[in-house]
Amino acid sequence: MREQDREAYLEKYEQQKKKGYFLFLFQLLKYFPGDLEVVGVIVLPVMALTFLIFLPYLDKSPWRHWSARPVISTITIAMLAGATFLTAQSLLEEAPPGSVTEAGDRTAALYISNCAGCHGSKIDVRPDTDLFSVVSAGTHEGMPPWNADLSADEIDALIGFILAPRGSEVFAGSCSQCHAAEQLIEADAIELRNALETGSAYPPHVEFNLAEWSDTLTAAEQGQLLNFLTAPDGQRLWDQQCSSCHGRAVAFDGSASELRDVVVQGGGHLDMPAFGQTLSESDIQTLARYVLDPSAPGGDLFAQNCSACHASTIPTAASLPEAVDAIARGGAHENMPVWGDILTDEQIAALVAYVEQAAEGGDLASGGELFAQNCSSCHGDLGEGGVNPARAGDIIAPISTAEYLRTRDDRTLQAIISQGQPNFGMSPFADSFGGPLKDDQVNAIVAFMRAWEENPPVELPPDVPSSPQPTASGEEVYGELCSQCHGPNGEGGIGTSFADPQWQARNQDSAVFDAINLGHEATAMIAWGEILTLGQIDQIVTHIRTLDSSAPPPAPDATPTFEADVLPIFQASCTACHGTLGGWTGTSYTDALTSGANGPTIVPGSPDSSRLVQSLIGTHPTGMVMPPSGALSAADIQTIIDWVAGGAPEK
Amino acid sequence: MNDDADLPKADHADSSLTDPAAQGESVSRLDADTQPDEDPQLDAKGISRRQMLTRSVAVMGGAIAAGVGIPAIFYVAGPAAEDSGTAEWIRLGAASSVEPGTPTLMKANVERRSGYLTSTEELSVFVTTENGTSFEALSNVCSHLGCRVRWVDEQDGFFCPCHNAVFNADGTVASGPPPRPLDQFEVKVEESQIFIKGIA
Amino acid sequence: MSSKIGDWVNERSGWRNHYAAIFLRKIPKINWLYTLGSATLFTMTLQFATGILLTLYYVPEPTQAHASVDYITNELTFGWLIRGLHHWGSSAMVLLVILHMVRVIAYGAYKYPREATWFSGVALLLLTFSFGFTGYLLPWDQRAYWATVVGTRIGEVTPFVGGSLKSVMLGGEEISGLTLTRFYGAHVWILPAVLLVLVGIHMYLVIRNGITAVPKRNE
């Protein structure tokens, strides 16, 4: 542990100690779980208080020496001793095993600083609890979500610690002299088991003259140690141990016990017959060559003997002898490790539970369908992103890049889809948050997205505009860079319209300069100051000023119509809510003109008195500007105004 | 001794509050400051045990009061000594936008930090140049009572509408009540951009 | 010189009588345990001083509370000291109050004629706890927030009135900006006002009744 880490940890540990005089109360509560809580919270304290208040009348004898007042003295001493005992107990529990003395035990430090304050030294977890989501999302009563403060690895380490607090002690005693906890937590489970079983013969350990772990640690301690180092958290286990072969998308349609067998037996479950007994030597040779090179003859043999199990997928082998050997001997020739020998019972249970749960939503076909229905209008058919219809001037970044998917686990994706991202105009999709999808449908979408990770349809980063010549004038730079989003003549598009006189009037030169120089966070507008010189930016500002069209943008050739011009705007920005919510409905021409909570929202020919227009531009006295995620683009609003003014024609 | 026996002692203390005369003898005997001659416990240096205790209590009390009081003074005065963020160069705009001979009003947004709060405020500055290469920056805040001055071409000076003060183009007072010239900022030009630094 | 000023003031206020009554009263033979009350009084004074200083910068507003505490602790000259004194002073105060009470019980000092002193003392004990509870929320960090969640949830267990007790304490169903301001108001105005009155009564009674001697075995 580095020195400043240690200091920070000691500081947190110290903070943990404050308000020590309440400790005995919390400790007392632990003796009165559930319905008995009222005893610890109310009855005992009220009794103690009553005793204190009425003390002068409980003890009316004139004697003041303690020995002359045996009852009062006994009660007082008992209360003091009780409080002292509870405080001491709480303090002793407060320091988890091996944490304070062993500098290497960072997880215990994590536990102390994050959990011990409320939970004491250990937490009894019911079996089958999804501890990861409890910790990261804070679904436990009164507990905050920790995923903002802790990384997934840290939460993992914590879960290992909670489920196997002794494991931390074993670690501190046997490993921490040489290893930091996080270093081993990231290690491969197979290697960990290997090191544990081979003991001093384990190659990296040979020169250190270690004791045999099998002599110094009991089987239970070994299990605790492994649980501590690789937390029994199904999703993470899958990611670390399984996804390299099975991919990130989980699909399994068998029962839990079958699944368990597959995991425990690993390659052992693949009962391939030993073809050495049924096929001739030459046939085996032919098959082996075919396996190595599918263009070689042997397809017929393969179809007869192998395709029943292997279907059309031809297995691969590293060399001819290996292939021959595998075919001849059959049996557990696959590379899947026998996880029953590697993982602990808790880890296997967690893995099985996760695969079961994840596979429920693992129907990729339905996931793809749901994605197309619900997501592609904003995120594109392949998750490539595009213009954000909910927020003018905003670009939705691709969600199907390997980078994006690798940095977000399934739970994060689930949360984003379920709860939406109102800041970015994305509404919640899970029915528990008022959206249209059930939880397993959300899972299906997550699985569908996960399948992209192996073979992403979009790769980032897109071409960064080549750095323009420092000598280019502001006008040239504008034409080359700015016009892509703001239009060659400043008419706008993805970006703001510079032709808009209001915009021109609203923004001072220095504000425009700063916007170009520093960019806008969370939009495609980057900080150009890193690419352009200040002089160029200044010239761009000057150029932008020339784009002001003091006349309003040219009116469209003809009056917009509902079907061609208005409905797409409604569909993009309104009907997500105004289709199911009641009140005004914008899904069809009739509905748009006739529905409304207090009367029609559209008065053909009179935009000013149309509630719809008032809500869009914010002139309605009540209610907020629609859509709630931010006003429509000026062009869209103008289209709707023109449409209403032109009599709101359908076609 | 029982409680009844304890009572007279309480009564005695009681009398000390309500009737000091009744206890006058003992007070004067104990009050070494006023009646040192009567104190039976004088030591070699002429300081009684009571005086000694009183003084040490005073010294300790003073030390504690100082221990809290002196940091408290710094604590209260603390923010006054803080830098509110004006010591940085502030970009005003392109040097080319300043017309030689005529003060040009330029604006910049300045972030000010006050304790844990930051706020942006707009800073307006008159920039003057004679030759387009050397620049001067004058505050537009009148040095009299803080009204905003503006440039009036006909008068060839800055005019303050509050009390009809007039400043010359270089910021010196031409007429009216202001006690000193307009404040000046430090100016530098980099990449043909004007930057200022200073008070205001 | 100083005695001249003293005389001048004494003629007009009679302070020497009160000084004598408070500081020069007769006391029985006692031991160091009898200083626990004065120590509590001293800690209380310190809490008042540092608490008043903290209000110069602290803002009881959800978006600013933590920022202002952070500013006091990490940026202000000696802010860490003032806040540290107030923080540790609160623990010291609770500890001293309890020790003081144990001393009183051990010496049977609550007996006639000092029952009223005892009652006011019990009220002061509760008041000290209330200070600790309301003050704990004010830094408005995670720990403060959840400690208050737990604390008010415990109060909710009270039969019959628990629910309404909790809403009155929180100023609503959840901890919010209203909770913060009412905890602040309680911690800075209501509780100190009650405390001053009760401490005044307590000390008047102590002086009026005198203090008990260390009891002997056969008393």
Side-chain angles (χ1 to χ4, degrees), chain A residues 15-16 18-19 21-22 26 29 37-38 41-42 49 52-53 55-57 59-67 69 72 76 80 113 141-144 149, chain C residues 87 90-91 94 101-102 105-108 110-111 115 118-119 122 125-126 129 132 136 142-143 146 150 153-154 157-159 212-213 215-219:
Chain A
Q15 285 174 2
Q16 206 61 54
K18 63 187 174 185
K19 299 297 166 195
Y21 50 83
F22 282 132
F26 282 106
L29 290 186
E37 203 179 21
V38 74
V41 171
I42 304 295
L49 191 61
L52 284 181
I53 292 178
L55 188 54
Y57 294 98
D59 174 26
K60 287 167 76 170
S61 78
W63 311 108
R64 291 202 293 118
H65 194 266
W66 60 270
S67 62
R69 301 176 291 140
I72 299 298
T76 308
L80 276 179
S113 55
E141 185 180 3
M143 186 168 99
D149 297 327
Chain C
H87 174 92
S90 75
S91 294
V94 170
M101 188 182 73
V102 170
I105 296 178
Y107 287 172
Y110 49 81
K111 289 169 182 260
E115 292 97 327
W118 170 260
F119 294 143
V122 173
L125 173 76
L126 292 180
F129 280 129
Y136 203 48
Q142 282 286 328
R143 192 183 308 283
W146 292 105
V150 172
R153 208 179 61 77
I154 286 174
V157 179
T158 317
T212 56
K216 296 194 178 62
R217 179 168 281 275
N218 55 356
E219 282 184 292

Side-chain angles (χ1 to χ4, degrees), chain A residues 7-18:
Chain A
E7 271 169 24
Y9 148 52
L10 286 175
E11 190 184 335
K12 279 202 162 182
Y13 189 79
E14 282 309 313
Q15 285 174 2
Q16 206 61 54
K17 290 291 180 197
K18 63 187 174 185

Side-chain angles (χ1 to χ4, degrees), chain A residues 85-111:
Chain A
F85 168 75
L86 288 171
T87 307
Q89 193 182 25
S90 165
L91 286 174
L92 288 177
E93 282 191 8
E94 194 86 336
S99 60
V100 189
T101 49
E102 292 300 329
D105 199 343
R106 238 171 94 76
T107 313
L110 267 182
Y111 182 86

Side-chain angles (χ1 to χ4, degrees), chain A residues 426-506:
Chain A
M426 175 170 170
S427 51
F429 278 86
D431 56 1
S432 45
F433 290 91
L437 300 178
K438 300 216 176 314
D439 283 349
D440 54 351
Q441 289 177 308
V442 173
N443 285 341
I445 295 177
V446 172
F448 172 73
M449 290 174 63
R450 201 45 90 193
W452 280 331
E453 191 173 346
E454 293 297 291
N455 187 16
V458 180
E459 261 315 334
L460 262 193
D463 292 340
V464 173
S466 57
S467 189
Q469 298 294 317
T471 52
S473 73
E475 193 171 348
E476 286 162 358
V477 175
Y478 184 93
E480 201 175 313
L481 296 173
C482 315
S483 62
Q484 292 174 10
C485 293
H486 295 281
N489 299 311
E491 62 269 32
I494 296 169
T496 325
S497 164
F498 298 137
D500 178 7
Q502 281 184 8
W503 182 90
Q504 293 275 6
R506 212 169 40 235

Side-chain angles (χ1 to χ4, degrees), chain A residues 376-461:
Chain A
S376 58
S377 56
C378 294
H379 289 285
D381 293 336
L382 298 169
E384 71 272 20
V387 178
N388 187 343
R391 290 208 315 175
D394 192 13
I395 294 284
I396 298 176
I399 55 170
S400 50
T401 62
E403 176 65 24
Y404 179 92
L405 292 166
R406 196 163 46 237
T407 49
R408 283 156 183 83
D409 64 10
D410 285 357
R411 284 172 221 275
T412 309
L413 293 178
Q414 277 163 7
I416 293 174
I417 299 172
S418 301
Q419 300 163 23
Q421 295 200 309
N423 297 345
F424 300 111
M426 175 170 170
S427 51
F429 278 86
D431 56 1
S432 45
F433 290 91
L437 300 178
K438 300 216 176 314
D439 283 349
D440 54 351
Q441 289 177 308
V442 173
N443 285 341
I445 295 177
V446 172
F448 172 73
M449 290 174 63
R450 201 45 90 193
W452 280 331
E453 191 173 346
E454 293 297 291
N455 187 16
V458 180
E459 261 315 334
L460 262 193

